[in-house]
Each structure stands twice: as C-alpha cells, then as structure tokens.
Amino acid sequence: MMENVHLAPETDEDDLYSGFNDYNPAYDTEELENDTGFQQAVRTSHGRRPPVTAKIPSTAVSRPIATGYGSKTSLTSSMGRPMTGTIQDGVARPMTAVRAAGFSKAALRGSAFDPLGQSRGPAPPLEAKNEDSPEEKIRQLEKKVNELVEESCIANSCGDLKLALEKAKDAGRKERVLVRQREQVTTPENINLDLTYSVLFNLASQYSANEMYAEALNTYQVIVKNKMFSNAGRLKVNMGNIYLKQRNYSKAIKFYRMALDQIPSVHKEMRIKIMQNIGITFIKTGQYSDAINSFEHIMSMAPNLKAGFNLILSCFAIGDREKMKKAFQKLIAVPLEIDEDDKYISPSDDPHTNLLIEAIKNDHLRQMERERKAMAEKYIMTAAKLIAPVIEASFAVGYNWCVEVVKASQYVELANDLEINKAITYLRQKDFNQAVDTLKMFEKKDSRVKSAAATNLSFLYYLENEFAQASSYADLAVNSDRYNPSALTNKGNTVFANGDYEKAAEFYKEALRNDSSCTEALYNIGLTYKKLNRLDEALDSFLKLHAILRNSAQVLCQIANVYELMEDPNQAIEWLMQLISVVPTDSQALSKLGELYDSEGDKSQAFQYYYESYRYFPSNIEVIEWLGAYYIDTQFCEKAIQYFERASLIQPTQVKWQLMVASCFRRSGNYQKALDTYKEIHRKFPENVECLRFLVRLCTDIGLKEVQEYATKLKRLEKMKEMREQRIKSGRESGGGGPRSKREGSSGSDSGQNNSASSKSERLSAKLRALPGTDEPYESSGNKEIDASYVDPLGPQIERPKTAAKKRIDEDDFADEELGDDLLPE
C-alpha cells in the first residue's frame, strides 16, 4: 500500500500553503460558451437524452463475474449509455458522484499524488498587445491630442502665445484625423465629443490671444452652431468680448444678450458678469441711461464695487445730482466680506496662538483682503473727488456731504483723507489761505492725520519761502509720527535752506532708514553731499536713485554734473547722452554736451550739439555767442551775422552785439553795409568811442567828407575820457585810496551801456531765470497728496562756465587785420 504514497519534498517545507490560491478553470462559468469540451458534452449527451417517461426502466443488468483470474466486463444501463466506473476504450469513466478533489483511478495505476496541481508547470505568459490594431491606434492618437492641448495651455500661461497657437492648430489637425479613424472603426455615436469641444475651444482662445479675431470668431461659430455640444451658447460671451475689442459695440451687446438668454437663472454670478459687460459697452457707446439701468439692476441683485463705481460715472456723465448721491451711497454700502483686523491681534500670551497668528498675518488670504480693502478705498476716494464739486453749489459743500456719508459708513477712516483732498483742491484753485485753514483743523486729530496735515502745511510754507513756519510744522509732523519719511524729508529741506547741510543729511538718512524707497530723501541727500563737496557719496546716492528711477531726467543730469565736478568729462558726456535719449529736446543738456566736446577740442561735435540746442531754444545768449564765434573762426562771417543780429534783439542795450554785426559786414567786404551799421550804432550810442574809431577809419578809406566830423567827436570823447581818468586818479590820491566804484566797459561810456559785467545778469530770459536750479532740493508732502518733485519744462539746468569760444569773442574777435589799433569792449 505504501508504494502509492508520495512524500512532499523537503524543499517545499518553507511554503506549505502554495497552490491553494490557484484558480481551477473548471469553475469559470463565464467561459462555458468558449469551453469546447463542455459544449461537446452538451451536444452529445444531455442534448440527445430522450424524455423521461412514467415507466421506470429495469435496472437489472448482466454483471460481469469477477474472479481472480479475469477482468470485469463492461456493464450497460437500460438506456444504453456506459455505466459509471466502466472502462471504455481503455479510459475509465470518472465516478463523478464520489470523486474527491485531485483523485482519480488513474492514480492507482502509477500516477503521482498531486492535489495542488504542481506538476502542470508555470502559467502561460500574458498575451502581447497588438499595436497595429485600429483600437490601439485610436487610443494613442487620442492621448497625443490631449497632450497637445495641455502643452498649448501651458505655453499660453507662460506668455509664449505663438507656440500656444501652433500647438492648438496641431491638436486640431490630429483631432480631425482621429474623428475620421473612429468613423471607419466604430459608429458615429462613439465619437468623443468632449475632446472635440476642448480642442476647438482652446484653438479659439489662442486665436483671440494672438489678436486673430476673425479666425477666433469662426472657430466659436463652429462650436455654437453644433447642437451636439451642450452649454455651447455661453461661448457667445467670448464672441461679445471679441467684438468689444474690435469696437463693434452693437454686435457686442447683441451677443452678450444672446448669451444672457441662454444661461439659466440659477447661474446668478455668470449673469451678473454679463450684465456688467453690457453696461460697460453702453458707456463706450455713450448710452449712459441704458448703462445706468444695467448697473442699477446689478446693484439691486448682487452689489459690487466695480458696478457701483461705474454707476457713479454714468450718473456723472448725464449730470444727475440726485442719482450721483444715491449711487455713492450704494457704493459705500457694498459689503467687503473681509475679517476685522482684531482677528490678527493675539488676545493672550499663548505661544501656540501667537505662532498661528504670525502664520496667518501675511498669508495669501490676508494679502487678498488687503488688496480688496485698498481697491474699495480707491473707488470711494475717486468717486468722492469726482462728484464733490458738482453735487452741490460749491465744491466745499459737496465735500462736506461726502465726508458725512463716509463717516456714517464702515469706511470712517477715509473721512480724514477726504478732508485733506479738500485742502489739495483749494491748492489747485490757488486758494492757499483756505487750504491752510483746512489743514490746520487736523492739529487736534489723531497722530497719523495730524502728521499728514502738518507735512502738507510745511510743504506749503516751504514753497512760499517762509522757512520758519515750514520748520515749525515739520517739527510738529515729526513729533506726531517719527516714522513719517515725508515729514523727515521736509524737515531736512528747511535745514538745507538755512545752510546747515550736515544736519540736513542726518534728517534725510533717517527718512531713508524709515522708508528705503523714499526717492525725494535719496535725491536731496545727493544734493547735500554735493554742497559738502563729498562727490563720491553724492555719486553713490544718485546711482542708487538711478536704479530706482531709470528714466528720470533730473537724476541723469545730476550724475553727469557730478562726473564733471570730478573732472571726468568722458563719463559726463556718456550720462548726458543718456539724458538726451530721455529728453531729446532739452536745449540745456544739448548745450552742455557742446560745451564738454568743445573743452575736449572736438569742434565738429560741439557745433552739432550747440546748433541743436539753438534750434530748440534760440534765445540762449551763450549758445548764440558760441555759434557766432565758430563761424568767424571758420571764415564764414556772413553766417555769423544772423546769430549776432538775434543776440542784439535779445539784448538791445548791449552795443557789443551790434558792433559784432558791423565787424562781420566789414570782414566779409561789404563796407557800405558796415558803414551804415556803424552810423546806426553811433545814433543809438553817441558816446561809444569804438564805434567812432571805426567810422573815422571807414570814412577815411572810402573818402567821405564826414570823416572830419567823426574825427572831431572822437577827439572830444578821448579828451573827456582822459579828464575823467585824471579826476578818478586824483580823487584816489587825495582820499587815500578811498573806495570808489570801478567802471568797466568802453572809455567814455558814462551810462554803463557797454559794461560787460552787468550784461552777464541779463543773458537769460525771464523764463529761464524763473526756473529752479539743479541744487534746489525736492519738497515732500505727506501721503503723496501733493507732488513733491518739480518738473522742469526745459529740462534740468546746469551752470555753465565761460567757454573758450566766448572768451575769444570778448577779447579777440573784434580785432581786425587792417585796423590793428581798434579797441573794443571786453
């Protein structure tokens, strides 16, 4: 009996339960249709079994006699099928009724005992995918289309609009190929409509982003007209936006209304946004009454800040005072829906609570709340400044009404800002007394408002050159708020005006410590260092300011001036070139460039910039003088005449320019014109000795009879000059060298008409003298209510030392080769 018993091998001791989870396919009823053995059994036995009758067939059968010497014979049932357990064709029919799992009679004939089926070997490998099948190709193509749509969206978010459009077009092409392949393989009902919709919508969006509006509209039309796309009607909002960008306002309104009709009322927020677009379009078309109706509907359904502000603008456009007041009250009543600031104040000393408050004090939600509150304050302040002058008989009464409404709302702190804006309005109307009175009302307010008002008062008194008052109010502003950079800057300005530059620098430094972005303080400290001759520190300050204000003409001018003071003309020229790239019509910067090139010996470049300066501002005496001298040096005296004639028009009391005109006529050989010019000069300035000398010499050369008359006048004037000099000399000797006024200019000029020293003060026009210089500091005001910086209409002013060309005019250019003994004024 032991020969049929097989022991488990020792190698299987570690895995006693292996094989119990194997699944016998005989129990898989779902695959019976594909089981050929089962189907064959059904067709051969059960399908052909005769129907059961009432008569029970006899079970008496002839049984084989088993002996020790012979085998059993087959037994048959009364129905003719082999009996269970019979051997037919050498194979024993299984005894299904009593068969145990894994047991068969074949095991008695030498087969191994294998109840776990370990002798069958490993499972067959999985079937490999057929990549050439149509379904697999469609699946891969659909995946590629989705990837292209995602890449297009990512490129758009990164700002690469062209790449986004190319990806969207590529996705559209591949999606059409995908649709054709699906139609060939499956029925049209199996087409992925969501993918088609996303591809078309992305393509239309990219067309719109690239300002290809016609193509975008065509793509949107394809989506909207396809009834298979659900909710495609709301895309008419996008089409209305495109028409709005194209300024086709009538079609924009039409599509907005069509979209509004197709969006159900449950989508309240979407409908409100479309109504707001309709109202804005009505404003652009000038239909303010329709716009008011739209915005009033929005404010009644879901009030918001933008709709309220647009409602005020529409009412202001039609001039309806009552509607403006009602709209302003509606704007004030819009809820902000933000938490109070008390939430971010720790109520106890609990470290966990403090850590939590520190974490949320500046998180994204808190930043969003700040932005929403700042936007609300901006809308309210702008609306109040807009309607205050028109809702009442005077702007003061209108401001008072706005202030009272604001005080009764959740924006109480804006009332003080409105009062300060009221003072600024007085300033714009040149009513300084009312502005001062309004600002003085804040002296008893809280520290923040008091500091802002005192800063503005200090600024006003500084503009009026009342430095004592400016200093007192600057002190009040600093004491009210020591961390107010504008107050510290104004205090520094008052100290700067009194000449205490070291102390002024300390105030500017403190202002910068409180607010490193205070450009006024940084600019003024650079000026202060210039005054103290600390040029390196001044240059460092202006370079820092240039990093903040890249295109500021004043800053570029100061940097160039500092380099000039440091005797680095090349760097000065480079920065002046940047300056004229910002303000190309600045005559002062152009003339300064000409001066620097002249000092470097580059006459051609100097002439170019001096000529450009003269073209933009033809009244600058120094530029006119240089250009006239340049033409004389280059032997083009005829061209120099027009410049000296213009100079004589600008300074008619200066005989110097008229003598230069006559000298140019004489140098060019036009003696008759020169003689007439000298006669005219003698008529205007009869005591000018140089003019008489030229007249005597010209009349002698030409042979005129008037030579004797002019010679007599010349001798008389020379004698008067000698007598005057003797009296001056004797007076000095008798008075012990007492102080007497020294006279300069031509001999014989009692009225001082030829005094070149006094003429220097008249060289600039009244407009130029009225402009501020480069060394005047910025004035600062509190909370940016008043523009602290001045804007120079002609660009920054630069002091110009006397150039070499000017010196030649004063000393040499009146000399003549033929008349070597000519004496002309310096």
Side-chain angles (χ1 to χ4, degrees):
M1 295 178 61
M2 296 300 296
E3 61 182 1
N4 293 325
V5 178
H6 298 276
L7 297 177
E10 295 181 358
T11 56
D12 293 336
E13 289 180 359
D14 295 336
D15 192 5
L16 299 176
Y17 301 101
S18 62
F20 283 99
N21 291 330
D22 293 341
Y23 181 71
N24 194 340
Y27 302 118
D28 191 359
T29 58
E30 295 180 357
E31 298 294 332
L32 290 178
E33 295 181 358
N34 301 326
D35 190 346
T36 55
F38 177 78
Q39 293 297 331
Q40 183 68 23
V42 170
R43 286 193 297 269
T44 56
S45 61
H46 180 74
R48 296 182 180 180
R49 180 179 300 174
V52 180
T53 59
K55 180 182 178 180
I56 298 175
S58 175
T59 57
V61 294
S62 59
R63 299 180 179 272
I65 299 173
T67 63
Y69 303 99
S71 62
K72 296 179 181 179
T73 59
S74 62
L75 302 177
T76 59
S77 66
S78 61
M79 300 181 68
R81 71 182 181 90
M83 295 183 64
T84 303
T86 59
I87 300 174
Q88 192 174 18
D89 299 330
V91 178
R93 185 172 184 273
M95 299 176 66
T96 55
V98 295
R99 179 182 175 184
F103 175 78
S104 63
K105 290 189 70 174
L108 300 175
R109 299 185 180 88
S111 62
F113 179 74
D114 188 14
L116 303 180
Q118 296 178 359
S119 61
R120 290 178 296 185
L126 297 175
E127 295 182 3
K129 290 184 178 180
N130 188 5
E131 296 182 357
D132 295 333
S133 64
E135 291 81 4
E136 185 64 25
K137 288 182 178 179
I138 289 174
R139 193 179 300 110
Q140 293 297 326
L141 189 56
E142 184 174 336
K143 182 179 179 182
K144 181 63 176 177
V145 171
N146 281 316
E147 290 176 354
L148 287 171
V149 172
E150 291 178 2
E151 291 173 2
S152 174
C153 296
I154 293 172
N156 182 281
S157 64
C158 296
D160 194 348
L161 302 180
K162 291 185 177 179
L163 178 61
L165 180 59
E166 290 299 324
K167 295 287 185 181
K169 288 181 178 179
D170 195 10
R173 288 190 291 267
K174 291 187 181 301
E175 194 274 336
R176 286 191 294 272
V177 174
L178 174 63
V179 169
R180 287 194 294 269
Q181 290 186 5
R182 279 189 181 276
E183 290 176 349
Q184 295 175 1
V185 175
T186 61
T187 59
E189 290 78 8
N190 293 329
I191 295 176
N192 192 346
L193 291 177
D194 292 337
L195 182 61
T196 305
Y197 181 88
S198 63
V199 168
L200 291 174
F201 178 68
N202 179 61
L203 181 59
S205 300
Q206 302 308 332
Y207 275 134
S208 179
N210 284 272
E211 298 183 357
M212 302 171 66
Y213 297 130
E215 292 83 353
L217 289 172
N218 293 335
T219 308
Y220 279 128
Q221 284 286 0
V222 172
I223 302 175
V224 171
K225 289 182 178 180
N226 194 335
K227 302 300 181 182
M228 300 179 68
F229 296 138
S230 60
N231 298 325
R234 65 180 59 191
L235 291 182
K236 291 180 180 179
V237 177
N238 295 15
M239 301 175 71
N241 292 339
I242 292 176
Y243 283 121
L244 185 65
K245 292 177 182 178
Q246 292 179 330
R247 301 179 183 273
N248 192 345
Y249 301 124
S250 59
K251 278 197 171 183
I253 293 173
K254 174 184 175 182
F255 275 88
Y256 285 144
R257 286 178 169 168
M258 291 169 63
L260 193 64
D261 293 338
Q262 296 187 11
I263 293 178
S265 57
V266 293
H267 297 158
K268 181 179 177 181
E269 186 176 354
M270 186 68 179
R271 291 177 63 86
I272 290 296
K273 289 181 179 179
I274 296 175
M275 286 291 295
Q276 190 158 329
N277 285 6
I278 293 174
I280 292 172
T281 311
F282 277 133
I283 290 178
K284 289 183 176 292
T285 57
Q287 299 172 257
Y288 299 112
S289 299
D290 295 330
I292 290 173
N293 294 333
S294 298
F295 292 126
E296 283 181 343
H297 176 73
I298 295 172
M299 295 301 289
S300 63
M301 298 296 294
N304 62 78
L305 294 169
K306 290 184 179 179
F309 184 72
N310 288 331
L311 177 59
I312 293 175
L313 292 180
S314 303
C315 296
F316 177 81
I318 64 175
D320 193 329
R321 295 183 177 182
E322 292 302 321
K323 283 191 174 181
M324 277 188 273
K325 289 183 178 181
K326 292 180 181 178
F328 186 74
Q329 290 172 341
K330 289 180 180 179
L331 177 64
I332 289 288
V334 173
L336 278 181
E337 299 178 353
I338 62 176
D339 294 329
E340 298 295 334
D341 292 336
D342 297 340
K343 173 183 176 181
Y344 302 98
I345 299 175
S346 177
S348 63
D349 295 333
D350 184 12
H352 296 288
T353 305
N354 294 336
L355 285 175
L356 177 61
I357 291 175
E358 287 295 327
I360 67 174
K361 188 177 290 185
N362 198 32
D363 60 355
H364 292 293
L365 178 60
R366 179 60 173 161
Q367 293 175 6
M368 185 189 72
E369 290 177 348
R370 287 200 194 102
E371 291 173 0
R372 182 178 296 180
K373 185 176 181 181
M375 183 179 67
E377 293 177 353
K378 177 184 176 183
Y379 281 141
I380 293 170
M381 291 292 294
T382 306
K385 288 188 288 185
L386 178 68
I387 68 174
V390 297
I391 57 176
E392 298 292 346
S394 65
F395 88 93
V397 179
Y399 260 108
N400 292 336
W401 182 87
C402 292
V403 169
E404 293 301 324
V405 173
V406 171
K407 284 182 178 179
S409 69
Q410 56 183 327
Y411 305 98
V412 182
E413 64 275 5
L414 291 182
N416 293 324
D417 295 334
L418 280 174
E419 290 281 1
I420 292 178
N421 274 292
K422 179 181 175 182
I424 294 173
T425 307
Y426 278 123
L427 284 178
R428 292 195 179 100
Q429 295 179 354
K430 307 298 182 184
D431 193 346
F432 292 97
N433 295 328
Q434 286 288 347
V436 172
D437 293 340
T438 305
L439 291 172
K440 285 183 178 179
M441 293 168 55
F442 292 95
E443 292 182 1
K444 296 182 181 180
K445 300 277 185 167
D446 59 68
S447 60
R448 185 187 69 84
V449 179
K450 184 194 298 184
S451 177
T455 301
N456 287 338
L457 284 170
S458 172
F459 170 74
L460 290 176
Y461 284 118
Y462 186 89
L463 291 180
E464 295 177 351
N465 292 328
E466 298 182 16
F467 299 123
Q469 288 278 12
S471 180
S472 64
Y473 277 104
D475 290 334
L476 178 61
V478 172
N479 294 333
S480 301
D481 185 2
R482 188 70 189 181
Y483 299 100
N484 185 351
S486 300
L488 292 167
T489 302
N490 278 351
K491 180 60 180 175
N493 289 348
T494 58
V495 177
F496 184 97
N498 293 326
D500 192 351
Y501 303 121
E502 291 286 354
K503 192 173 181 181
E506 292 300 322
F507 280 109
Y508 296 142
K509 287 179 182 177
E510 187 174 355
L512 288 171
R513 283 195 294 269
N514 293 335
D515 183 6
S516 59
S517 63
C518 183
T519 55
E520 292 87 357
L522 190 56
Y523 183 90
N524 291 349
I525 199 172
L527 295 180
T528 306
Y529 286 142
K530 275 179 62 179
K531 289 288 187 181
L532 296 171
N533 202 28
R534 291 154 63 176
L535 299 180
D536 291 333
E537 295 177 66
L539 181 62
D540 184 56
S541 299
F542 289 127
L543 289 175
K544 288 180 181 177
L545 189 58
H546 175 65
I548 302 172
L549 307 175
R550 301 296 300 179
N551 295 322
S552 173
Q554 287 87 354
V555 177
L556 293 171
C557 176
Q558 291 296 340
I559 294 174
N561 184 248
V562 171
Y563 274 119
E564 184 184 6
L565 294 175
M566 296 173 70
E567 298 181 357
D568 191 349
N570 293 327
Q571 283 291 334
I573 288 172
E574 181 179 344
W575 285 96
L576 283 173
M577 294 294 289
Q578 294 187 37
L579 174 61
I580 63 173
S581 68
V582 176
V583 279
T585 60
D586 190 336
S587 62
Q588 299 293 337
L590 291 167
S591 63
K592 190 64 183 178
L593 267 173
E595 178 187 336
L596 290 173
Y597 275 116
D598 184 34
S599 64
E600 292 292 302
D602 193 343
K603 297 294 181 183
S604 60
Q605 285 286 353
F607 170 75
Q608 176 185 347
Y609 288 110
Y610 270 122
Y611 182 77
E612 287 294 312
S613 175
Y614 173 78
R615 192 164 64 88
Y616 290 118
F617 184 57
S619 299
N620 191 331
I621 290 295
E622 294 179 356
V623 174
I624 293 172
E625 193 173 4
W626 192 92
L627 289 171
Y630 175 80
Y631 280 118
I632 290 176
D633 286 345
T634 54
Q635 304 299 320
F636 291 102
C637 298
E638 297 86 352
K639 292 185 178 181
I641 292 174
Q642 60 173 330
Y643 296 103
F644 293 126
E645 286 179 344
R646 178 172 288 275
S648 66
L649 292 175
I650 297 172
Q651 295 180 346
T653 60
Q654 297 293 319
V655 69
K656 170 182 179 179
W657 308 118
Q658 300 181 42
L659 289 173
M660 285 301 302
V661 173
S663 176
C664 288
F665 281 126
R666 184 167 47 82
R667 288 170 179 266
S668 60
N670 194 345
Y671 295 109
Q672 185 60 45
K673 190 69 175 176
L675 181 62
D676 295 341
T677 306
Y678 282 125
K679 287 181 179 180
E680 182 66 20
I681 295 171
H682 178 65
R683 187 180 64 79
K684 293 179 180 179
F685 305 96
E687 295 183 354
N688 189 278
V689 176
E690 286 75 17
C691 180
L692 284 173
R693 286 180 178 175
F694 278 116
L695 283 171
V696 170
R697 186 59 58 91
L698 280 176
C699 291
T700 302
D701 293 342
I702 298 176
L704 298 178
K705 297 179 180 180
E706 300 171 356
V707 63
Q708 189 63 35
E709 177 186 354
Y710 292 128
T712 303
K713 291 181 179 181
L714 178 61
K715 288 180 181 180
R716 185 172 66 250
L717 286 175
E718 287 177 345
K719 287 181 180 181
M720 290 175 60
K721 179 182 178 182
E722 290 177 0
M723 293 173 62
R724 189 180 296 112
E725 289 177 351
Q726 288 177 1
R727 283 197 302 268
I728 293 173
K729 184 177 180 181
S730 61
R732 286 177 179 175
E733 292 176 354
S734 61
R740 292 180 61 89
S741 61
K742 298 181 180 181
R743 298 188 180 184
E744 298 180 5
S746 62
S747 60
S749 177
D750 294 334
S751 62
Q753 293 170 336
N754 299 324
N755 190 341
S756 62
S758 63
S759 69
K760 294 183 184 297
S761 63
E762 302 176 1
R763 288 187 174 179
L764 295 179
S765 64
K767 185 175 182 180
L768 279 179
R769 288 198 303 271
L771 291 175
T774 52
D775 292 339
E776 293 185 18
Y778 275 56
E779 295 84 9
S780 179
S781 62
N783 297 335
K784 304 296 181 183
E785 286 88 0
I786 301 177
D787 189 5
S789 62
Y790 66 85
V791 179
D792 190 345
L794 294 177
Q797 304 296 305
I798 302 176
E799 293 184 5
R800 289 167 182 77
K802 195 172 182 179
T803 62
K806 180 179 176 182
K807 186 176 180 181
R808 284 196 301 275
I809 292 177
D810 291 339
E811 297 178 356
D812 302 329
D813 283 339
F814 292 106
D816 190 273
E817 293 80 9
E818 300 175 359
L819 304 175
D821 56 349
D822 294 343
L823 297 177
L824 294 177
E826 294 184 358

